[in-house]
């Protein structure tokens, strides 16, 4: 990312796309490398433009942002995905997060907030508010076995990995986790990598969701 964080903007509204492009392309350290008008255009756009972050609309007519996110995250060395929505209570946001998105933003968020979210996700830091995540999960329909599955999955973690997973679920950054557990940031990152491998998850947002499913955060 020496030349900047490369962003692909995906939205079926041309005005929204152009607005996001104009907003982000002038932000420090961010470069918009391409646009797509629907989820079915994303694979070709990623093939044409090396990308670090995809800003993904949830509601699109042909291939929605949930399916598109699943396809993006299934690619080798996939870019991160931040989903865009007009409502923070939209249960489709939660489905997109479970599909592998790293976080979500409201479309009317201030430009500086959107640019900062892009930088944070590119650096591997969370952008989810625990309060909003909890509200999303409370409003979204979940199957009866989610609690038991989450509890069972977390049992494979060591005691220290469990502590780190709970801190991720609480929305803490790597630096905050390191300070709280008296570890180095590098050690925290190593623990998170092992947690993702053991739990077969794609990113730290999915760790957070699993701890919420287990009723631990």
């Amino acid at each position: 990312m020496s030349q900047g964080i490369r962003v692909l903007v995906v939205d079926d509204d041309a005005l929204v796309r152009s607005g996001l492009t104009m907003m982000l392309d002038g932000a420090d350290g961010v470069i918009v490398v391409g646009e797509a008008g629907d989820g079915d255009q994303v694979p070709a756009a990623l093939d044409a433009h090396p990308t670090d972050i995809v800003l993904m609309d949830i509601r699109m007519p042909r291939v929605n942002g949930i399916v598109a996110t699943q396809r993006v995250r299934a690619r080798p060395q996939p870019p991160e995905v931040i989903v865009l929505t007009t409502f923070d209570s939209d249960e489709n946001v939660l489905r997109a997060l479970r599909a592998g998105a790293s976080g979500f933003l409201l479309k009317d968020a201030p430009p500086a907030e959107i640019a900062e979210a892009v930088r944070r996700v590119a650096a591997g830091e969370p952008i989810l508010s625990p309060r909003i995540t909890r509200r999303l999960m409370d409003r979204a329909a979940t199957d009866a076995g989610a609690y038991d599955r989450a509890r069972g999955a977390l049992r494979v973690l060591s005691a220290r990995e469990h502590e780190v997973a709970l801190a991720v679920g609480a929305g803490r950054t790597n630096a905050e986790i390191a300070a709280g557990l008296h570890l180095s940031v590098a050690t925290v990152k190593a623990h998170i990598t092992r947690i993702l491998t053991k739990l077969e998850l794609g990113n730290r947002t999915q760790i957070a969701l699993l701890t919420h499913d287990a009723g631990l955060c």
Side-chain angles (χ1 to χ4, degrees):
M1 299 185 196
S2 60
Q3 295 180 340
I5 302 165
R6 299 164 297 187
V7 175
L8 174 69
V9 176
V10 184
D11 198 294
D12 64 322
D13 188 322
L15 288 176
V16 172
R17 289 200 310 274
S18 62
L20 286 168
T21 296
M22 290 178 62
M23 175 196 315
L24 287 170
D25 221 18
D28 184 36
V30 179
I31 302 169
V32 176
V33 295
E35 298 180 11
D38 206 295
D40 59 356
Q41 299 174 9
V42 173
L46 292 178
D47 289 340
H49 307 289
T51 301
D52 303 306
I53 305 286
V54 179
L55 283 180
M56 182 83 75
D57 187 20
I58 286 281
R59 299 175 182 273
M60 293 180 286
R62 294 192 300 274
V63 174
N64 65 43
I66 300 165
V67 173
T69 295
Q70 290 173 325
R71 293 175 181 174
V72 168
R73 295 299 295 166
R75 295 170 67 95
Q77 298 182 317
E80 300 295 335
V81 177
I82 301 173
V83 294
L84 298 168
T85 181
T86 51
F87 304 105
D88 66 5
S89 61
D90 188 343
E91 71 178 54
N92 285 325
V93 172
L94 184 60
R95 293 174 60 199
L97 296 176
R98 293 190 187 284
S102 293
F104 77 93
L105 289 168
L106 298 179
K107 289 187 179 182
D108 60 358
E113 182 179 325
I114 295 177
E116 179 60 19
V118 167
R119 285 189 284 265
R120 286 184 62 179
V121 169
E125 297 289 358
I127 63 167
L128 283 177
S129 159
R131 176 180 58 84
I132 292 177
T133 304
R134 181 73 265 166
R135 187 164 77 243
L136 279 172
M137 296 195 68
D138 287 343
R139 293 190 183 190
T142 57
D143 63 273
Y147 174 87
D148 291 335
R149 285 199 301 272
R151 287 275 177 158
L154 291 171
R155 290 194 190 102
V156 307
L157 303 181
S158 69
R160 179 61 88 185
E161 289 164 352
H162 195 270
E163 289 179 316
V164 172
L166 292 185
V168 171
R172 295 176 188 155
T173 66
N174 289 343
E176 290 168 342
I177 297 171
L181 297 180
H182 306 290
L183 302 170
S184 70
V185 171
T187 299
V188 170
K189 290 180 178 178
H191 279 308
I192 290 174
T193 298
R194 285 195 291 273
I195 292 167
L196 292 172
T197 299
K198 284 185 176 182
L199 299 180
E200 299 182 348
L201 299 176
N203 57 40
R204 63 189 296 144
T205 300
Q206 292 180 322
I207 297 174
L209 293 174
L210 192 68
T211 65
H212 282 279
D213 282 345
L216 300 174
C217 290

